[in-house]
Amino acid sequence: MVNKPVSYADYLKLDVLLNAQVPESAAAGREAHDEMLFIIVHQVYELWFKQILFEIDRIEAIFAGDWVDDRDVAAAANGLARIVEVLRLGVRQIDLLETMTPLDFLDFRDLLYPASGFQSAQFRAVEVRLGLRREDRYAFEDQPFEKRLTEREQTRILDQERARSVFDLVETWLSRVPFVETAGWRFREAYRSAVADAVRGDIAYAERSAALSDSQRAAQVKALEQELDRFDALFSGTPADLAEAAPGWRMGRGAVLAALFINLYRDEPALQVPFRFLSLLMDVDETLTTWRFRHALMVERMIGRKLGTGGSSGHSYLHKTVERHRIFSDLFALATFLMPSRARPPLPDEVRRAMSLAYAPAGSGASESA
Ligand code: HEM
Protein backbone atom coordinates (compact mmCIF):
# COMPACT_ATOMS: atom_id res chain seq x y z
CA MET A 1 0.00 0.00 0.00
CA VAL A 2 1.30 3.45 -0.88
CA ASN A 3 1.03 6.07 1.83
CA LYS A 4 -0.92 9.22 1.10
CA PRO A 5 1.57 12.06 0.43
CA VAL A 6 2.04 14.09 3.60
CA SER A 7 2.74 17.79 3.62
CA TYR A 8 4.90 19.54 6.22
CA ALA A 9 2.01 21.65 7.50
CA ASP A 10 -0.46 18.74 7.68
CA TYR A 11 1.98 16.42 9.36
CA LEU A 12 2.79 18.96 12.08
CA LYS A 13 -0.81 20.18 12.38
CA LEU A 14 0.46 23.72 12.00
CA ASP A 15 -3.01 25.13 11.50
CA VAL A 16 -3.84 24.10 15.09
CA LEU A 17 -0.40 24.79 16.54
CA LEU A 18 0.14 28.25 15.09
CA ASN A 19 -3.35 29.44 15.90
CA ALA A 20 -3.12 28.45 19.53
CA GLN A 21 -1.52 31.70 20.76
CA VAL A 22 -4.32 33.97 21.90
CA PRO A 23 -3.06 36.87 24.05
CA GLU A 24 -5.48 38.08 26.73
CA SER A 25 -4.07 41.59 26.39
CA ALA A 26 -5.22 41.83 22.76
CA ALA A 27 -8.70 40.65 23.76
CA ALA A 28 -8.72 43.32 26.49
CA GLY A 29 -7.86 45.96 23.90
CA ARG A 30 -4.43 46.80 25.38
CA GLU A 31 -1.99 44.67 23.48
CA ALA A 32 1.16 43.80 25.48
CA HIS A 33 4.02 42.87 23.16
CA ASP A 34 5.68 40.39 25.54
CA GLU A 35 2.61 38.25 26.13
CA MET A 36 3.32 36.34 22.90
CA LEU A 37 6.69 35.20 24.27
CA PHE A 38 5.07 34.32 27.61
CA ILE A 39 2.47 32.12 25.91
CA ILE A 40 4.88 30.41 23.51
CA VAL A 41 7.41 29.62 26.24
CA HIS A 42 4.70 28.02 28.39
CA GLN A 43 3.34 26.06 25.43
CA VAL A 44 6.79 24.76 24.54
CA TYR A 45 7.25 23.62 28.16
CA GLU A 46 3.97 21.71 28.01
CA LEU A 47 5.10 20.00 24.81
CA TRP A 48 8.35 19.02 26.47
CA PHE A 49 6.49 17.74 29.54
CA LYS A 50 4.54 15.56 27.11
CA GLN A 51 7.80 14.15 25.74
CA ILE A 52 9.12 13.51 29.26
CA LEU A 53 5.94 11.61 30.17
CA PHE A 54 6.25 9.63 26.96
CA GLU A 55 9.77 8.57 27.96
CA ILE A 56 8.55 7.71 31.47
CA ASP A 57 5.91 5.41 29.89
CA ARG A 58 8.65 3.34 28.31
CA ILE A 59 10.89 3.35 31.40
CA GLU A 60 7.98 2.17 33.54
CA ALA A 61 7.13 -0.59 31.06
CA ILE A 62 10.74 -1.82 31.11
CA PHE A 63 10.95 -2.05 34.89
CA ALA A 64 7.40 -3.22 35.54
CA GLY A 65 8.02 -6.88 34.63
CA ASP A 66 9.44 -9.59 36.88
CA TRP A 67 12.49 -9.88 34.70
CA VAL A 68 14.43 -6.82 33.51
CA ASP A 69 16.66 -7.49 30.51
CA ASP A 70 20.02 -5.64 30.53
CA ARG A 71 19.45 -4.46 26.96
CA ASP A 72 16.24 -2.83 28.07
CA VAL A 73 18.07 -1.06 30.89
CA ALA A 74 20.25 0.53 28.19
CA ALA A 75 17.08 1.75 26.42
CA ALA A 76 15.74 3.08 29.72
CA ALA A 77 19.06 4.88 30.28
CA ASN A 78 18.72 6.50 26.85
CA GLY A 79 15.22 7.63 27.81
CA LEU A 80 16.61 9.22 30.97
CA ALA A 81 19.39 10.90 28.96
CA ARG A 82 16.69 12.40 26.74
CA ILE A 83 14.70 13.59 29.74
CA VAL A 84 17.82 15.26 31.12
CA GLU A 85 18.43 17.11 27.84
CA VAL A 86 14.80 18.23 27.69
CA LEU A 87 15.06 19.55 31.25
CA ARG A 88 18.30 21.35 30.37
CA LEU A 89 16.46 23.05 27.52
CA GLY A 90 13.80 23.98 30.06
CA VAL A 91 16.41 25.64 32.27
CA ARG A 92 17.77 27.55 29.24
CA GLN A 93 14.26 28.74 28.38
CA ILE A 94 14.25 30.74 31.60
CA ASP A 95 17.02 32.93 30.12
CA LEU A 96 14.77 33.49 27.14
CA LEU A 97 11.76 34.41 29.28
CA GLU A 98 13.95 36.78 31.28
CA THR A 99 14.37 38.96 28.18
CA MET A 100 10.92 40.14 29.34
CA THR A 101 11.43 42.76 32.07
CA PRO A 102 9.29 42.89 35.24
CA LEU A 103 7.68 46.07 33.90
CA ASP A 104 6.79 44.36 30.60
CA PHE A 105 5.22 41.54 32.60
CA LEU A 106 3.07 43.98 34.57
CA ASP A 107 1.50 45.08 31.27
CA PHE A 108 -0.57 41.87 31.25
CA ARG A 109 -0.08 40.04 34.58
CA ASP A 110 -3.40 41.27 36.01
CA LEU A 111 -5.21 39.49 33.16
CA LEU A 112 -3.86 36.08 34.19
CA TYR A 113 -5.65 35.62 37.56
CA PRO A 114 -6.22 32.97 38.85
CA ALA A 115 -4.31 30.91 36.22
CA SER A 116 -1.01 29.55 37.55
CA GLY A 117 1.65 26.88 37.12
CA PHE A 118 -0.20 25.12 39.95
CA GLN A 119 -2.66 24.06 37.25
CA SER A 120 -0.09 22.28 35.09
CA ALA A 121 -1.38 18.69 35.23
CA GLN A 122 1.54 17.46 33.17
CA PHE A 123 4.12 18.95 35.55
CA ARG A 124 2.37 17.27 38.48
CA ALA A 125 2.34 13.99 36.52
CA VAL A 126 6.11 14.27 35.91
CA GLU A 127 6.69 14.79 39.65
CA VAL A 128 4.37 11.99 40.76
CA ARG A 129 5.48 9.46 38.17
CA LEU A 130 9.15 10.05 38.88
CA GLY A 131 8.39 9.41 42.57
CA LEU A 132 7.63 12.62 44.49
CA ARG A 133 5.45 11.51 47.40
CA ARG A 134 2.54 13.51 48.78
CA GLU A 135 4.02 13.47 52.30
CA ASP A 136 7.28 14.93 51.04
CA ARG A 137 5.64 17.97 49.43
CA TYR A 138 5.91 21.37 51.03
CA ALA A 139 2.29 22.29 51.84
CA PHE A 140 1.56 26.00 51.92
CA GLU A 141 -2.21 25.66 52.30
CA ASP A 142 -4.72 23.23 53.77
CA GLN A 143 -6.00 21.81 50.52
CA PRO A 144 -4.09 19.05 48.71
CA PHE A 145 -2.08 20.01 45.62
CA GLU A 146 -4.40 18.19 43.16
CA LYS A 147 -7.36 20.43 44.07
CA ARG A 148 -5.91 23.03 41.67
CA LEU A 149 -6.52 20.65 38.78
CA THR A 150 -9.76 19.88 36.93
CA GLU A 151 -11.80 16.91 38.20
CA ARG A 152 -10.66 14.73 35.34
CA GLU A 153 -7.03 15.62 35.97
CA GLN A 154 -7.50 14.96 39.68
CA THR A 155 -8.75 11.42 39.04
CA ARG A 156 -5.80 10.81 36.77
CA ILE A 157 -3.14 12.12 39.14
CA LEU A 158 -4.61 10.08 42.03
CA ASP A 159 -4.38 6.96 39.84
CA GLN A 160 -0.80 7.85 39.02
CA GLU A 161 -0.04 8.25 42.72
CA ARG A 162 -1.40 4.77 43.40
CA ALA A 163 0.70 3.23 40.63
CA ARG A 164 4.37 2.40 41.14
CA SER A 165 6.63 5.34 40.35
CA VAL A 166 10.01 5.23 38.63
CA PHE A 167 11.54 5.46 42.13
CA ASP A 168 9.56 2.40 43.31
CA LEU A 169 10.36 0.39 40.19
CA VAL A 170 14.07 1.19 40.38
CA GLU A 171 14.13 0.26 44.05
CA THR A 172 12.59 -3.15 43.28
CA TRP A 173 14.99 -3.69 40.38
CA LEU A 174 17.97 -2.81 42.57
CA SER A 175 16.94 -5.14 45.33
CA ARG A 176 17.00 -7.96 42.76
CA VAL A 177 20.47 -7.19 41.32
CA PRO A 178 22.45 -10.44 41.17
CA PHE A 179 26.05 -10.82 42.40
CA VAL A 180 25.44 -8.88 45.62
CA GLU A 181 25.16 -12.26 47.32
CA THR A 182 26.34 -15.51 45.81
CA ALA A 183 26.75 -18.92 47.41
CA GLY A 184 30.22 -18.30 48.77
CA TRP A 185 30.45 -14.51 48.91
CA ARG A 186 28.39 -11.80 50.51
CA PHE A 187 29.09 -8.27 49.37
CA ARG A 188 27.65 -6.87 52.58
CA GLU A 189 30.17 -8.70 54.79
CA ALA A 190 33.13 -8.29 52.45
CA TYR A 191 32.64 -4.54 52.12
CA ARG A 192 31.90 -4.08 55.79
CA SER A 193 35.15 -5.64 56.93
CA ALA A 194 37.15 -3.83 54.20
CA VAL A 195 35.70 -0.51 55.32
CA ALA A 196 36.27 -1.26 59.00
CA ASP A 197 39.94 -2.09 58.25
CA ALA A 198 40.39 1.08 56.20
CA VAL A 199 38.80 3.36 58.81
CA ARG A 200 40.68 1.73 61.68
CA GLY A 201 43.90 2.29 59.70
CA ASP A 202 42.98 5.96 59.35
CA ILE A 203 42.27 6.20 63.09
CA ALA A 204 45.65 4.63 63.92
CA TYR A 205 47.33 7.06 61.52
CA ALA A 206 45.57 10.06 63.12
CA GLU A 207 46.59 8.87 66.60
CA ARG A 208 50.24 8.70 65.52
CA SER A 209 50.33 11.87 63.45
CA ALA A 210 52.76 14.45 64.79
CA ALA A 211 51.26 17.08 62.48
CA LEU A 212 48.06 17.28 64.57
CA SER A 213 47.54 19.06 67.88
CA ASP A 214 45.81 17.08 70.65
CA SER A 215 42.47 18.75 69.98
CA GLN A 216 42.79 18.26 66.20
CA ARG A 217 43.64 14.60 66.78
CA ALA A 218 40.65 14.09 69.05
CA ALA A 219 38.35 15.77 66.50
CA GLN A 220 39.70 13.66 63.65
CA VAL A 221 39.40 10.40 65.57
CA LYS A 222 35.84 11.33 66.56
CA ALA A 223 34.91 12.08 62.92
CA LEU A 224 36.35 8.74 61.80
CA GLU A 225 34.48 6.86 64.53
CA GLN A 226 31.28 8.54 63.39
CA GLU A 227 32.02 7.36 59.87
CA LEU A 228 32.26 3.80 61.18
CA ASP A 229 28.92 4.24 62.98
CA ARG A 230 27.35 5.35 59.68
CA PHE A 231 28.62 2.22 57.99
CA ASP A 232 27.33 0.06 60.82
CA ALA A 233 23.91 1.67 60.46
CA LEU A 234 23.92 0.87 56.75
CA PHE A 235 25.02 -2.71 57.19
CA SER A 236 23.14 -3.86 60.24
CA GLY A 237 21.34 -1.00 61.99
CA THR A 238 17.60 -0.58 62.32
CA PRO A 239 15.78 1.63 59.78
CA ALA A 240 15.90 4.35 62.48
CA ASP A 241 19.71 4.02 62.70
CA LEU A 242 19.91 4.32 58.94
CA ALA A 243 17.66 7.40 58.93
CA GLU A 244 19.93 8.99 61.53
CA ALA A 245 23.08 8.14 59.61
CA ALA A 246 21.64 9.60 56.40
CA PRO A 247 18.69 11.90 57.20
CA GLY A 248 15.75 11.71 54.81
CA TRP A 249 16.74 8.25 53.65
CA ARG A 250 13.97 6.50 51.69
CA MET A 251 15.38 3.49 49.87
CA GLY A 252 15.39 0.03 51.47
CA ARG A 253 18.68 -1.47 52.62
CA GLY A 254 18.79 -4.14 49.89
CA ALA A 255 18.46 -1.53 47.16
CA VAL A 256 21.05 0.72 48.82
CA LEU A 257 23.56 -2.12 49.01
CA ALA A 258 22.97 -2.98 45.35
CA ALA A 259 23.40 0.66 44.31
CA LEU A 260 26.61 0.80 46.35
CA PHE A 261 27.81 -2.40 44.70
CA ILE A 262 27.10 -0.97 41.24
CA ASN A 263 28.99 2.22 42.09
CA LEU A 264 31.99 0.37 43.49
CA TYR A 265 32.33 -2.17 40.68
CA ARG A 266 31.04 0.05 37.86
CA ASP A 267 33.95 -0.94 35.58
CA GLU A 268 32.75 -4.54 35.34
CA PRO A 269 31.07 -4.92 31.93
CA ALA A 270 27.76 -6.12 33.37
CA LEU A 271 27.56 -3.11 35.68
CA GLN A 272 28.37 -0.35 33.22
CA VAL A 273 24.81 0.12 31.99
CA PRO A 274 23.27 -0.05 35.50
CA PHE A 275 25.87 2.48 36.62
CA ARG A 276 24.98 4.81 33.75
CA PHE A 277 21.30 4.41 34.58
CA LEU A 278 21.83 5.36 38.24
CA SER A 279 24.00 8.33 37.25
CA LEU A 280 21.29 9.53 34.87
CA LEU A 281 18.66 9.32 37.62
CA MET A 282 20.84 11.73 39.59
CA ASP A 283 21.12 13.96 36.51
CA VAL A 284 17.32 14.04 36.25
CA ASP A 285 17.07 15.02 39.93
CA GLU A 286 19.84 17.61 39.59
CA THR A 287 18.39 19.23 36.46
CA LEU A 288 14.83 19.31 37.82
CA THR A 289 16.16 20.87 41.03
CA THR A 290 18.11 23.40 38.96
CA TRP A 291 14.92 24.24 37.07
CA ARG A 292 13.01 24.76 40.31
CA PHE A 293 15.75 27.04 41.58
CA ARG A 294 16.00 29.07 38.37
CA HIS A 295 12.21 29.34 38.15
CA ALA A 296 12.07 30.58 41.78
CA LEU A 297 14.77 33.18 41.09
CA MET A 298 13.01 34.30 37.92
CA VAL A 299 9.76 34.65 39.86
CA GLU A 300 11.53 36.75 42.51
CA ARG A 301 12.94 38.96 39.78
CA MET A 302 9.57 39.32 38.02
CA ILE A 303 7.20 39.85 40.95
CA GLY A 304 9.46 40.52 43.97
CA ARG A 305 7.58 39.68 47.19
CA LYS A 306 4.10 39.73 45.64
CA LEU A 307 1.82 36.71 45.95
CA GLY A 308 1.57 34.34 42.97
CA THR A 309 -1.47 34.38 40.69
CA GLY A 310 -2.25 30.94 42.17
CA GLY A 311 -2.27 32.44 45.69
CA SER A 312 1.03 31.10 47.08
CA SER A 313 3.70 33.24 48.73
CA GLY A 314 5.36 33.26 45.30
CA HIS A 315 9.15 32.98 45.25
CA SER A 316 9.25 32.08 48.95
CA TYR A 317 7.05 28.99 48.39
CA LEU A 318 9.01 28.03 45.28
CA HIS A 319 12.38 28.29 47.03
CA LYS A 320 11.13 25.88 49.72
CA THR A 321 10.28 23.27 47.11
CA VAL A 322 13.81 23.31 45.68
CA GLU A 323 15.38 21.04 48.29
CA ARG A 324 12.15 19.54 49.63
CA HIS A 325 10.95 18.11 46.30
CA ARG A 326 14.08 16.15 45.47
CA ILE A 327 13.28 12.58 44.40
CA PHE A 328 16.51 10.63 44.03
CA SER A 329 18.50 12.22 46.85
CA ASP A 330 19.20 8.72 48.24
CA LEU A 331 21.45 8.08 45.27
CA PHE A 332 23.40 11.23 46.09
CA ALA A 333 23.59 10.25 49.78
CA LEU A 334 25.21 7.00 48.71
CA ALA A 335 28.53 8.81 48.47
CA THR A 336 28.43 8.94 52.30
CA PHE A 337 29.14 5.21 52.24
CA LEU A 338 31.74 5.11 49.50
CA MET A 339 35.33 4.30 50.34
CA PRO A 340 38.38 4.76 48.11
CA SER A 341 38.80 2.00 45.54
CA ARG A 342 41.91 0.78 47.39
CA ALA A 343 39.61 -0.31 50.24
CA ARG A 344 37.27 -2.09 47.85
CA PRO A 345 37.26 -5.86 48.39
CA PRO A 346 38.34 -7.75 45.26
CA LEU A 347 35.52 -9.63 43.57
CA PRO A 348 35.80 -13.43 43.72
CA ASP A 349 36.80 -14.95 40.36
CA GLU A 350 33.47 -16.65 39.79
CA VAL A 351 31.61 -13.36 40.27
CA ARG A 352 33.98 -11.51 37.91
CA ARG A 353 33.67 -14.26 35.33
CA ALA A 354 29.90 -14.16 35.55
CA MET A 355 30.01 -10.43 34.87
CA SER A 356 32.55 -10.59 32.06
CA LEU A 357 31.59 -10.08 28.43
CA ALA A 358 34.24 -12.56 27.20
CA TYR A 359 32.10 -15.52 26.23
CA ALA A 360 33.50 -18.63 24.62
CA PRO A 361 31.92 -21.82 23.27
CA ALA A 362 31.12 -24.30 26.03
CA GLY A 363 33.99 -26.68 26.67
CA SER A 364 36.64 -24.52 24.95
CA GLY A 365 38.05 -23.53 28.34
CA ALA A 366 38.56 -19.98 27.05
CA SER A 367 35.84 -18.53 29.23
CA GLU A 368 37.71 -19.84 32.28
CA SER A 369 40.40 -17.20 31.81
CA ALA A 370 38.03 -14.33 30.96
C1 HEM B 1 7.07 35.44 34.32
C2 HEM B 1 7.18 34.15 34.43
C3 HEM B 1 6.64 33.34 35.57
C4 HEM B 1 6.20 33.74 36.79
C5 HEM B 1 6.14 35.14 37.36
C6 HEM B 1 5.79 32.55 37.50
C7 HEM B 1 5.27 32.56 38.76
C8 HEM B 1 4.94 31.45 39.49
C9 HEM B 1 4.47 31.45 40.84
C10 HEM B 1 4.32 32.66 41.71
C11 HEM B 1 4.22 30.17 41.18
C12 HEM B 1 3.69 29.65 42.53
C13 HEM B 1 2.23 29.33 42.40
C14 HEM B 1 1.37 30.56 42.42
O1 HEM B 1 1.14 31.11 43.49
O2 HEM B 1 0.91 30.93 41.32
C15 HEM B 1 4.53 29.35 40.04
C16 HEM B 1 4.42 27.98 40.02
C17 HEM B 1 4.71 27.22 38.93
N1 HEM B 1 5.11 27.68 37.71
FE1 HEM B 1 5.61 29.56 37.22
N2 HEM B 1 5.99 31.47 36.71
C18 HEM B 1 6.52 31.91 35.53
C19 HEM B 1 6.86 31.13 34.46
C20 HEM B 1 6.68 29.78 34.38
C21 HEM B 1 6.98 28.96 33.25
C22 HEM B 1 7.58 29.43 31.93
C23 HEM B 1 6.63 27.70 33.56
C24 HEM B 1 6.75 26.53 32.65
C25 HEM B 1 5.86 25.59 32.58
C26 HEM B 1 6.11 27.71 34.90
C27 HEM B 1 5.66 26.60 35.59
C28 HEM B 1 5.26 26.60 36.89
C29 HEM B 1 4.94 25.40 37.62
C30 HEM B 1 4.99 23.98 37.09
C31 HEM B 1 4.60 25.79 38.89
C32 HEM B 1 4.23 24.87 40.07
C33 HEM B 1 5.52 24.63 40.84
C34 HEM B 1 5.35 23.86 42.14
O3 HEM B 1 4.27 23.91 42.78
O4 HEM B 1 6.33 23.23 42.54
N3 HEM B 1 6.17 28.98 35.38
N4 HEM B 1 4.97 30.14 39.02
Side-chain angles (χ1 to χ4, degrees):
M1 199 178 86
V2 181
N3 278 352
K4 203 170 115 234
V6 189
S7 83
Y8 179 83
D10 283 349
Y11 182 63
L12 297 176
K13 304 283 174 282
L14 292 186
D15 51 344
V16 180
L17 195 62
L18 299 180
N19 285 302
Q21 294 71 39
V22 188
E24 287 290 322
S25 60
R30 52 178 169 102
E31 199 169 325
H33 179 83
D34 284 26
E35 196 184 349
M36 182 61 83
L37 175 74
F38 186 81
I39 293 173
I40 290 181
V41 166
H42 277 84
Q43 287 179 335
V44 170
Y45 267 107
E46 288 295 334
L47 284 175
W48 284 132
F49 292 156
K50 182 171 182 172
Q51 182 69 41
I52 291 176
L53 292 168
F54 191 63
E55 298 301 334
I56 292 178
D57 284 345
R58 182 167 69 162
I59 295 168
E60 281 176 354
I62 288 173
F63 286 96
D66 287 339
W67 167 252
V68 182
D69 191 311
D70 281 353
R71 280 161 294 209
D72 293 336
V73 179
N78 285 342
L80 286 181
R82 186 170 293 164
I83 292 175
V84 171
E85 291 310 324
V86 168
L87 289 171
R88 285 189 181 140
L89 271 182
V91 175
R92 279 285 288 126
Q93 281 205 96
I94 290 180
D95 296 328
L96 171 59
L97 196 51
E98 283 179 345
T99 60
M100 172 178 79
T101 67
L103 207 59
D104 297 328
F105 185 40
L106 282 180
D107 283 345
F108 61 94
R109 181 173 188 247
D110 59 317
L111 300 169
L112 305 179
Y113 285 94
S116 153
F118 275 161
Q119 295 166 331
S120 171
Q122 290 204 106
F123 184 76
R124 292 295 180 233
V126 169
E127 293 181 324
V128 166
R129 292 182 61 194
L130 283 176
L132 181 61
R133 294 178 301 187
R134 180 170 290 263
E135 62 268 33
D136 294 334
R137 285 183 186 274
Y138 172 72
F140 82 95
E141 58 183 356
D142 293 340
Q143 63 170 348
F145 74 94
E146 75 276 7
K147 291 289 174 216
R148 302 305 189 108
L149 307 176
T150 64
E151 275 190 20
R152 214 166 126 237
E153 289 164 349
Q154 286 184 36
T155 312
R156 192 132 194 241
I157 203 88
L158 293 176
D159 284 347
Q160 286 163 339
E161 266 195 324
R162 277 188 287 272
R164 299 174 73 208
S165 64
V166 172
F167 182 99
D168 299 330
L169 293 165
V170 168
E171 186 182 25
T172 306
W173 167 69
L174 280 173
S175 47
R176 289 194 209 132
V177 165
F179 312 119
V180 180
E181 289 191 8
T182 61
W185 189 75
R186 287 165 65 100
F187 166 65
R188 187 203 286 222
E189 259 87 74
Y191 192 50
R192 185 179 195 173
S193 77
V195 163
D197 286 352
V199 178
R200 279 196 209 101
D202 288 347
I203 292 176
Y205 179 79
E207 282 169 340
R208 281 198 313 271
S209 171
L212 298 173
S213 68
D214 285 350
S215 61
Q216 283 172 328
R217 184 173 303 114
Q220 181 129 22
V221 168
K222 190 170 171 216
L224 287 164
E225 281 169 354
Q226 280 171 343
E227 197 167 330
L228 258 188
D229 288 347
R230 264 202 298 270
F231 272 111
D232 279 340
L234 171 68
F235 287 110
S236 59
T238 62
D241 294 335
L242 188 54
E244 198 185 320
W249 202 274
R250 173 174 170 190
M251 222 172 237
R253 176 177 284 119
V256 172
L257 286 172
L260 201 54
F261 179 79
I262 290 169
N263 271 280
L264 282 165
Y265 300 103
R266 63 185 181 187
D267 299 328
E268 299 299 327
L271 297 182
Q272 288 173 12
V273 171
F275 176 71
R276 176 164 184 257
F277 184 76
L278 293 184
S279 302
L280 282 160
L281 283 175
M282 288 197 277
D283 291 343
V284 169
D285 198 289
E286 198 169 291
T287 325
L288 193 52
T289 305
T290 307
W291 181 83
R292 285 190 198 280
F293 184 64
R294 281 298 313 274
H295 172 258
L297 276 182
M298 174 187 63
V299 169
E300 190 173 357
R301 174 186 186 137
M302 292 289 176
I303 62 170
R305 308 277 151 104
K306 289 177 193 156
L307 297 184
T309 47
S312 79
S313 57
H315 87 88
S316 158
Y317 157 78
L318 294 165
H319 275 299
K320 292 201 178 79
T321 66
V322 174
E323 189 52 36
R324 181 94 193 231
H325 291 188
R326 301 269 309 275
I327 297 168
F328 295 102
S329 46
D330 282 7
L331 294 176
F332 290 72
L334 219 54
T336 322
F337 303 116
L338 280 181
M339 293 299 289
S341 11
R342 59 182 156 25
R344 182 178 61 182
L347 288 174
D349 279 351
E350 72 272 16
V351 176
R352 292 206 63 215
R353 256 200 307 276
M355 290 198 290
S356 165
L357 288 182
Y359 293 111
S364 72
S367 65
E368 301 303 310
S369 57

